[in-house]
Amino acid sequence: MAALTRNKKNRTNSQTPPLNKRTKSSPMKKPAKSQKPPLKKQRRCIPEEKPEVSTDEEEEEEIEQSNQGDEGSESGSDFFSDSDGEEGNDDDDAELLGGDLLDGSDDEEGTLGSDLDSDSDESDIEVKSRAIDKKRKKEEKDAKDEFTMNIKEQPDEFQLPTKKELEAEARGPPDLPSLQIRIREIVRVLSNFKDLRPDGAKRTDYVDQLKADLCSCYGYNEFLIGTLIEMFPVVELMELIEAFEKKRPTSIRTNTLKTRRRDLADVLLNRGVNLDPLSKWSKVGLIVYDSQVPIGATPEYLAGFYMLQSASSFLPVMALAPQEKERVVDMAAAPGGKTTYVAALMKNTGIIYANEMKVPRLKSLCANLHRMGVTNTIVCNYDGRELSKVLGQNSVDRVLLDAPCSGTGVISKDESVKTSKSADDINKFAHLQKQLILSAIDLVDANSKTGGYIVYSTCSIMIPENEAVIDYALKKRDVKVVPCGLDFGQPGFSSFREQRFHPSVEKTRRFYPHVHNMDGFFVAKLKKMSNAMQPTETDKPVETMGKAQVSSSDDDEEAEAIEELKKPSVANGQPKRESNTKEYKNRQKFPRSKETHKGKRNTSIKSESGCGTVEEPRKQKKKRSQGKNEIAQAREEKRNAMRENAMDRPKHRK
C-alpha cells in the first residue's frame, strides 16, 4: 500500500518527461564515483543503512510489477514513446520503476564502493608497512657495510702512536673521543697481552701510554694513576675510574632513639621523598633517589629523626658492635655521624668519649649530639696521640678510630684529590695513622669482660694507609686481627710490591664504588690480647720499674758530667780539672755500686777524700717525665746529703 500511494503522488506531481529525470540523476551519480573516498565515519555508516534501503525498494518494485501485469511489459516496449493517456501513465510508471532501479543500483554501488574503499585502505597500509620494512632493511645494510668498511680501513692489530703523533696531539687540545678509543684498545690488549701482543711490543710501553692517556682524559696525576694500575687489573681499573666519575646515592640513617625506620619512611613518602631501604645488611638505612623538599631541612631532620650519612660510614660502627653500659672512645668524632650511631646502639647507656682535635669542628659535633638526643657522650678536645695519657691506659672497653686519611676513596665527592695527593702526602698520613692506632690500643683494657676491641677505618684505598698500618700494629702491640662481622666486602691485601704483611691481614675488608656502590672504604677490627707492650726503636715503652731506674741513672750521670765540664771554677780558686781528677781517683778506688748500695758508700768516700774543697750547689735540672720524677727526687736528696757532709768536714778540722 505504501508503494501504491507513493506512485499516485509521483504521477500527479510529475510533469517532466522521464528521460530528463534519468539524464539529471545519472550525472549526479557518476561524478560521485570519481571523487575521493568518504571519511571513516561515513564508511562505517554506509554499509549499515544502504542495504536496507535497497531491499525495501526491491520489494516495492515486485509489488508494482505484480499489480501492473501486462502493462509493465507494454511500458517496457514503449518506454521512450511520446503518446498521451494510458501511455503517459505507463511512462510515469516506467519512470518510477526506472528511478527505483537506478536508486537501487546506486545503493548497491555504494556498498560495493565502501567495500572496495576498505580493501584499498588495507592495501595502502600493507604497502606502507612494506616500504617501512624495506627502508629499515636498507639502513641496516648500509650500517653493516659502513662498519665492515671501517674495520677494513683499520689495521687488524692495534698500534701505539708514534712520537710524531704524540707531539702533534700535545700541541692541540685533547681529543677525548680518540683518547677513549685508544684507552679501550690498550685495555683490550693488556687484558690478554700474551695472545694479542704485536711482534716486538713491550708491556711497559702499553702501560706507560695507558697512564698518559688516563691522566689527560680523566685528570689524574701520574702518582695516583700509577698506584691504581699496580693495585688493580686494567679492566677493573677502568670500572673503578668510571665509578669515581659518578656520584653515590644519598643515604640517611634512622635515629632509633626517637623513631623507627618504617614510621620515618611513611612520613617522608608523604612529603614527596622517593626512597627505599638501603640494603639487607642495614636495618636503619634508607636510600633517597629524589625529593621534592630539601632532605636536610625537613621537620623530621630538625627533630633528630634521621642523620644524613653515607652508607660506608655505617660499616665501622657495625664492626665495633658496642654493648650497653660500656666505655667507648671515638678518637676522631666530628661531625658526629658515627658517635650518634654508637649512642643509638648503646641506647644512651654507658659513656662515650667523643674526641676531636680541631676546634672549628666541635660546633657541628655538639649540634648533632643535641639534635639527635644523645645524653651519654662527653666531648673533649685533645690530640688523639696523647689521649691515652689523658684518659689513662687500659681504661676503656672499645675504641673507634676513623683515622684522617688522603681521601682517595671519595674522589666522587672531592675531585681535587686527583691532582693534590702525592707519595709524600700518603707517607705523612701513614705515619700519623700508626701513632694514632698505637694510642688507641693503649686505651683499651685487654681484661674487659665485654670489650677489648679496636676498629680502624679510613676512607682511602691506598695500601700504606690501610694494610701497612695494621701490620705495624701487629708488630708493636699484643693484638690480633679478628673478623669484622660484615658479610660482604673484599679481603685486604696480604702482599703488595715488595711488601709482605701478616696473613691475618686478609680478615680486613675493602669496599669499592664499582663493586658495592658506596665510597671507597677500609675497615679492620683488632682484639687486644694483653696489656703488655713490646719495646721498639721508635716506641720504647717501659715494662718494669727496674729498667726505668737503670735508664734514668745513666741519663743523670751523663747530664752531670756535661754540667760539670761547663762550670768555670770552684769557690776556692782551684781549677775544675783537679776536682775532676780527685773524684776520678776516688771512683777508681771505690767503684760506684748500683742504686741499692751506693748511698752509704758514696757518703763515706766523700768524707774521707775531702780536703777543704767546697763544691757549688748544682744547677736545677729540667723537668723530667712523670715516670722518672720519683727516682730523680730520691737521687737529689742523696746528693744534698753528700754536699752537706762535704761542707761540714773542713769546718770540723778548723
Side-chain angles (χ1 to χ4, degrees):
M1 295 295 291
L4 292 174
T5 56
R6 182 179 177 185
N7 291 333
K8 289 180 180 180
K9 290 179 182 180
N10 289 332
R11 286 175 185 174
T12 56
N13 294 329
S14 63
Q15 296 177 357
T16 57
L19 183 59
N20 295 332
K21 284 187 179 180
R22 285 184 301 211
T23 55
K24 288 181 181 179
S25 62
S26 59
M28 293 298 292
K29 302 286 183 178
K30 290 180 181 178
K33 297 180 181 178
S34 61
Q35 291 178 356
K36 294 182 180 180
L39 297 175
K40 293 182 179 179
K41 293 182 178 179
Q42 296 176 357
R43 293 174 186 171
R44 293 176 183 173
C45 298
I46 289 169
E48 295 177 358
E49 296 177 356
K50 287 191 175 181
E52 296 177 356
V53 174
S54 62
T55 53
D56 295 337
E57 291 177 354
E58 289 176 356
E59 290 177 357
E60 292 176 0
E61 291 173 0
E62 291 177 357
I63 295 169
E64 289 176 358
Q65 290 176 1
S66 62
N67 292 331
Q68 291 177 359
D70 297 334
E71 294 178 358
S73 61
E74 292 177 359
S75 63
S77 61
D78 298 331
F79 189 74
F80 294 101
S81 63
D82 295 331
S83 61
D84 297 332
E86 293 179 357
E87 291 179 357
N89 295 332
D90 295 338
D91 292 337
D92 293 336
D93 295 336
E95 181 184 351
L96 292 172
L97 180 61
D100 294 336
L101 290 172
L102 289 173
D103 292 338
S105 63
D106 291 338
D107 294 337
E108 291 176 358
E109 287 178 359
T111 56
L112 294 173
S114 63
D115 295 337
L116 292 174
D117 292 337
S118 62
D119 294 339
S120 62
D121 293 339
E122 292 178 358
S123 62
D124 293 340
I125 294 171
E126 291 178 359
V127 170
K128 290 180 181 179
S129 63
R130 288 172 184 171
I132 293 171
D133 294 339
K134 188 176 180 180
K135 185 178 179 181
R136 187 180 301 168
K137 289 180 181 179
K138 186 178 180 181
E139 290 177 354
E140 292 177 356
K141 185 179 180 182
D142 294 341
K144 188 175 181 181
D145 294 340
E146 185 179 358
F147 179 72
T148 54
M149 187 180 296
N150 293 333
I151 291 175
K152 289 179 180 178
E153 290 177 358
Q154 295 178 357
D156 295 337
E157 295 181 355
F158 172 74
Q159 299 294 334
L160 292 174
T162 60
K163 293 183 179 179
K164 294 182 179 180
E165 294 176 352
L166 293 175
E167 291 176 357
E169 289 182 1
R171 295 190 192 100
D175 187 6
L176 295 181
S178 61
L179 282 175
Q180 292 175 353
I181 292 172
R182 190 163 64 197
I183 288 171
R184 286 197 296 267
E185 290 295 328
I186 294 175
V187 169
R188 182 181 63 84
V189 174
L190 290 176
S191 61
N192 191 8
F193 192 73
K194 183 178 180 181
D195 298 333
L196 301 177
R197 61 177 296 178
D199 295 336
K202 296 181 180 179
R203 188 181 184 90
T204 54
D205 297 338
Y206 281 83
V207 173
D208 294 340
Q209 187 60 46
L210 180 62
K211 289 181 183 178
D213 292 343
L214 290 175
C215 291
S216 58
C217 185
Y218 294 97
Y220 288 84
N221 58 14
E222 294 182 359
F223 161 73
L224 194 56
I225 282 293
T227 305
L228 293 177
I229 287 176
E230 292 178 351
M231 289 177 60
F232 301 97
V234 287
V235 177
E236 188 176 0
L237 172 66
M238 293 308 303
E239 295 177 356
L240 177 66
I241 292 175
E242 291 293 339
F244 279 144
E245 299 300 316
K246 302 175 183 178
K247 292 185 178 181
R248 305 274 75 78
T250 304
S251 58
I252 60 176
R253 178 182 58 82
T254 307
N255 184 15
T256 54
L257 294 175
K258 292 188 175 183
T259 185
R260 295 184 302 175
R261 184 171 70 171
R262 182 182 300 175
D263 299 336
L264 177 63
D266 293 339
V267 173
L268 293 179
L269 286 171
N270 293 331
R271 292 193 181 277
V273 181
N274 185 13
L275 50 81
D276 278 329
L278 180 60
S279 184
K280 295 181 180 179
W281 51 267
S282 176
K283 297 181 180 179
V284 295
L286 291 169
I287 183 170
V288 179
Y289 299 109
D290 54 33
S291 175
Q292 298 179 1
V293 295
I295 196 66
T298 61
E300 289 75 23
Y301 176 82
L302 299 176
F305 286 1
Y306 64 90
M307 180 84 175
L308 281 170
Q309 192 172 358
S310 62
S312 57
S313 299
F314 292 27
L315 305 174
V317 181
M318 294 174 64
L320 185 66
Q323 305 297 320
E324 297 181 18
K325 300 180 181 180
E326 284 187 340
R327 293 164 61 91
V328 180
V329 175
D330 189 356
M331 295 185 67
K338 300 180 183 66
T339 306
T340 54
Y341 193 8
V342 172
L345 293 177
M346 295 175 64
K347 299 179 181 179
N348 263 342
T349 61
I351 300 176
I352 300 175
Y353 296 98
N355 180 66
E356 177 55 44
M357 187 180 70
K358 297 181 179 179
V359 177
R361 304 187 70 184
L362 292 174
K363 185 177 180 180
S364 61
L365 174 60
C366 295
N368 285 322
L369 290 174
H370 287 298
R371 182 175 61 85
M372 302 292 281
V374 177
T375 58
N376 65 339
T377 301
I378 300 172
V379 179
C380 53
N381 175 228
Y382 292 102
D383 187 353
R385 294 170 290 186
E386 304 295 331
L387 199 59
S388 60
K389 298 178 182 179
V390 177
L391 299 179
Q393 295 184 357
N394 312 325
S395 59
V396 299
D397 299 311
R398 299 172 193 261
V399 173
L400 174 61
L401 174 58
D402 186 20
C405 61
S406 60
T408 53
V410 290
I411 294 177
S412 58
K413 294 181 180 178
D414 184 12
E415 293 188 355
S416 64
V417 178
K418 294 180 179 180
T419 56
S420 62
K421 303 304 177 185
S422 62
D424 294 337
D425 297 329
I426 302 300
N427 293 331
K428 289 178 182 179
F429 280 114
H431 181 68
L432 175 62
Q433 290 157 359
K434 290 176 182 178
Q435 293 177 328
L436 289 172
I437 196 171
L438 292 183
S439 178
I441 295 172
D442 294 341
L443 279 169
V444 175
D445 184 11
N447 299 323
S448 174
K449 296 180 180 179
T450 59
Y453 294 100
I454 305 99
V455 170
Y456 174 83
S457 63
T458 63
C459 57
S460 172
I461 59 175
M462 295 288 103
I463 293 176
E465 298 182 77
N466 298 324
E467 285 85 355
V469 175
I470 299 300
D471 186 70
Y472 176 83
L474 292 174
K475 294 177 181 178
K476 307 311 180 195
R477 296 291 186 270
D478 189 9
V479 294
K480 69 175 183 178
V481 182
V482 296
C484 297
L486 302 173
D487 298 334
F488 63 105
Q490 295 186 1
F493 288 87
S494 60
S495 62
F496 180 67
R497 294 179 179 173
E498 70 279 359
Q499 299 177 347
R500 298 294 179 270
F501 305 126
H502 195 275
S504 62
V505 176
E506 291 184 352
K507 295 180 181 179
T508 61
R509 285 292 174 265
R510 283 177 161 266
F511 303 91
Y512 299 113
H514 66 286
V515 180
H516 308 100
N517 196 22
M518 62 177 65
D519 295 328
F521 222 75
F522 175 83
V523 180
K525 188 174 184 180
L526 303 175
K527 169 69 175 176
K528 189 172 183 180
M529 304 306 296
S530 66
N531 294 327
M533 294 181 289
Q534 302 174 2
T536 59
E537 295 179 358
T538 57
D539 179 42
K540 296 181 179 180
V542 179
E543 290 184 2
T544 59
M545 185 60 69
K547 290 185 179 180
Q549 291 177 355
V550 173
S551 62
S552 63
S553 63
D554 295 339
D555 295 338
D556 291 339
E557 290 175 0
E558 292 177 1
E560 288 174 8
I562 293 171
E563 288 179 359
E564 288 174 356
L565 289 173
K566 289 181 180 180
K567 289 180 181 179
S569 62
V570 293
N572 58 358
Q574 292 182 357
K576 183 71 180 176
R577 291 184 63 183
E578 293 181 3
S579 63
N580 288 338
T581 55
K582 290 179 181 179
E583 290 179 5
Y584 178 73
K585 291 178 181 179
N586 292 331
R587 286 178 183 176
Q588 284 185 343
K589 292 180 181 179
F590 303 97
R592 179 175 287 185
S593 61
K594 295 183 179 180
E595 293 291 332
T596 55
H597 303 287
K598 72 177 182 179
K600 294 181 180 179
R601 292 185 182 182
N602 287 340
T603 54
S604 61
I605 292 168
K606 276 285 182 182
S607 61
E608 292 177 359
S609 61
C611 300
T613 61
V614 179
E615 295 182 355
E616 291 182 352
R618 299 180 184 276
K619 295 180 180 180
Q620 188 176 1
K621 297 180 182 180
K622 297 180 180 180
K623 292 183 179 180
R624 302 181 182 278
S625 61
Q626 296 179 357
K628 300 179 181 179
N629 285 338
E630 296 178 359
I631 301 170
Q633 186 177 359
R635 287 180 59 80
E636 190 66 23
E637 292 176 358
K638 292 177 183 178
R639 291 193 192 97
N640 292 334
M642 291 167 62
R643 291 190 190 101
E644 291 175 359
N645 293 332
M647 293 174 66
D648 293 337
R649 183 143 185 114
K651 291 180 181 179
H652 181 69
R653 285 183 179 182
K654 290 180 181 180

